[in-house]
Amino acid sequence: MIHSADIREWRNRDVIDPQGHKIGALEGVYVDTTTDAPSVATVRTGLPTRQRLVFVPVDEATLGPGYVRVAYSKGQVRKAPSMGTDDVLPADREEEIFKHYDRPYEARADRGRRLARR
């Protein structure tokens, strides 16, 4: 398992898919607010003048020398929910991310955020 402190050290490192194709650069990490475990990362993709952040789960990610390998293909990650590089993830869009990766989503009972940026 990757811990929050570990993955923060990998900001701006390449994010690659299982076949080794570069997806983009790791920008930030969101943890599950119930467990404080890393849940998803944002990956900076696109041209320098038109960059966006896409979301990808990191619970099955592995670290290597200079890269973070995620368990999803480059194509699937590039089609994931995204936001601008200066935007903040609205709570009502969290479920979209989970659905894109066919992962279960349970809203918190207190209607609070399920994901928090670290």
Side-chain angles (χ1 to χ4, degrees):
M1 172 186 222
I2 297 174
H3 300 284
S4 296
D6 297 336
I7 206 161
R8 269 185 271 187
E9 295 173 13
W10 290 88
R11 282 203 173 118
N12 298 314
R13 300 294 178 148
D14 289 344
V15 176
I16 63 173
D17 73 3
Q19 290 74 40
H21 300 117
K22 182 179 176 182
I23 299 168
L26 190 121
E27 189 275 334
V29 177
Y30 286 76
V31 297
D32 185 313
T33 57
T34 58
T35 64
D36 207 38
S39 183
V40 297
T42 51
V43 180
R44 200 170 43 254
T45 65
L47 301 171
T49 58
R50 299 183 69 204
Q51 290 190 336
R52 65 190 179 107
L53 301 175
V54 293
F55 293 88
V56 63
V58 293
D59 55 341
E60 297 177 40
T62 57
L63 302 176
Y67 66 84
V68 178
R69 183 184 308 267
V70 295
Y72 301 92
S73 72
K74 178 179 181 176
Q76 185 175 13
V77 176
R78 291 270 175 113
K79 293 176 185 173
S82 65
M83 65 182 186
T85 56
D86 293 327
D87 294 343
V88 176
L89 175 65
D92 62 349
R93 291 201 57 214
E94 291 179 350
E95 187 172 5
E96 255 182 86
I97 298 164
F98 286 80
K99 282 186 176 181
H100 178 76
Y101 292 102
D102 295 321
R103 301 173 65 90
Y105 177 81
E106 291 182 30
R108 290 192 32 177
D110 61 1
R111 296 200 183 270
R113 296 188 69 92
R114 172 83 186 270
L115 298 172
R117 185 168 170 158
R118 293 282 187 254

